[in-house]
Amino acid sequence: MTELAHGTLRSLNHLCGYAITAIDGEFGKVHDFLFDDVSWTVRYVVADTARWLPGRQVLLAPAALGHPDWLGHRVPVNLTKEQISGSPPVEKDEPMSRQLEGKLARYYGWPLYWMEDLGGMAIPEAVADTGVNPDKPTIERRKRIEAAEHAHIRSIREVKGYHVEATDGAVGHVDDFIVEEETWAIRYVVVDTHNWVPGKRVLLPPSAFEKVSWSESNVHVPLTREQVKNSPPFDPSAPINHEYETRLYDYYGRPAYWP
């Protein structure tokens, strides 16, 4: 855990396995996280409820979560078991869509996060039932509507293990994600380079990814192996303090995410 002026940073690996408790009792454990690959923000916690709701996948938006109990390894949810069991069914391995997200949002009363990304613009009713199609949308508006119709949702479990490619060859693989507790924004991707630099892990901000190939399971960074090797080392057992983050962004020559 690290307390910073811009938020508290947490490891998603560490959160996996935490018990999830509804208002009226425990109902599952944290199994996975789904994030938006455009904004790199966690949109849902995937709960493992196999003993209670077999065959179903339970998705919980950050808006439903209370403050985690880090000592007790529990995450409270401001919902009852009945509310959760009555939610729109999400089958395991079912691809995420804006239509499905809209159904969940309407049932639980969650905000539609992508509306903020679109500046409050109304999008087709078939997508989220939150607006109407304009009669003659401009080309730019049409592009934004089409983009809104496709969910950019990825599984943390799926992306872990992706190969990280430097400009001169492979440098490691994705091992973990560091999120800001207050916003659930992914601030860093932890890269394990043990096959090349034994025992070393480094942090890369998502902005450092030049290209992500979801079909080929790899990410590309505009850095050489040597640059990655010489980056400030990351110790998972040590706090990520402001001084370390400043050194990291100075080293990569990128603007920091905090004001």
Side-chain angles (χ1 to χ4, degrees):
M1 181 184 76
T2 304
E3 296 292 343
L4 299 173
H6 46 276
T8 305
L9 302 180
R10 303 284 184 181
S11 157
L12 290 187
N13 279 354
H14 181 70
L15 277 168
C16 282
Y18 271 35
I20 304 177
T21 54
I23 295 172
D24 50 352
E26 184 177 326
F27 68 87
K29 295 183 182 297
V30 175
H31 175 70
D32 194 4
F33 299 88
L34 303 183
F35 72 97
D36 181 341
D37 68 19
V38 176
S39 65
W40 287 81
T41 300
V42 172
R43 299 303 186 186
Y44 302 99
V45 173
V46 181
D48 178 359
T49 61
R51 295 183 179 179
W52 180 48
L53 297 173
R56 283 186 54 182
Q57 182 170 264
V58 172
L59 304 182
L60 300 166
L65 306 180
H67 187 74
D69 175 2
W70 303 108
L71 294 178
H73 290 195
R74 293 179 177 275
V75 179
V77 175
N78 56 11
L79 300 166
T80 65
K81 289 183 176 181
E82 184 178 359
Q83 284 177 296
I84 294 168
S85 64
S87 65
V90 181
E91 303 301 325
K92 288 185 177 181
D93 300 322
E94 179 180 0
M96 185 61 72
S97 66
R98 284 289 189 248
Q99 190 169 20
L100 176 56
E101 288 190 275
K103 288 179 180 179
L104 290 169
R106 287 193 301 278
Y107 175 81
Y108 286 116
W110 294 336
L112 294 171
Y113 63 85
W114 65 84
M115 293 298 288
E116 297 178 5
D117 298 338
L118 293 172
M121 180 188 72
I123 56 179
E125 186 171 351
V127 176
D129 289 347
T130 56
V132 295
N133 268 310
D135 293 332
K136 295 181 179 180
T138 63
I139 294 177
E140 180 62 26
R141 188 182 181 93
R142 185 181 295 279
K143 287 181 179 178
R144 293 169 70 191
I145 289 174
E146 289 174 353
E149 292 177 344
H150 302 284
H152 295 268
I153 300 297
R154 306 289 175 181
S155 159
I156 291 294
R157 280 183 173 270
E158 174 195 335
V159 178
K160 278 182 61 178
Y162 271 30
H163 296 293
V164 180
E165 300 284 341
T167 56
D168 53 353
V171 71
H173 66 268
V174 174
D175 183 61
D176 193 4
F177 298 80
I178 305 298
V179 299
E180 186 175 327
E181 180 183 328
E182 291 74 11
T183 63
W184 289 90
I186 296 174
R187 296 306 185 191
Y188 300 103
V189 174
V190 181
V191 178
D192 185 341
T193 67
H194 76 273
N195 288 332
W196 182 58
V197 184
K200 183 169 183 178
R201 287 181 171 82
V202 299
L203 296 186
L204 287 172
S207 61
F209 291 165
E210 186 175 54
K211 175 187 174 184
V212 180
S213 176
W214 307 110
S215 59
E216 298 178 5
S217 302
N218 58 42
V219 297
H220 298 260
V221 293
L223 302 166
T224 64
R225 283 177 156 190
E226 195 68 20
Q227 285 177 302
V228 175
K229 176 183 176 181
N230 294 328
S231 65
F234 170 61
D235 181 358
S237 64
I240 301 174
N241 57 37
H242 187 68
E243 179 184 358
Y244 173 80
E245 287 197 278
T246 301
R247 283 175 52 215
L248 202 63
Y249 275 91
D250 285 347
Y251 179 81
Y252 291 126
R254 294 182 175 275
Y257 64 86
W258 60 87

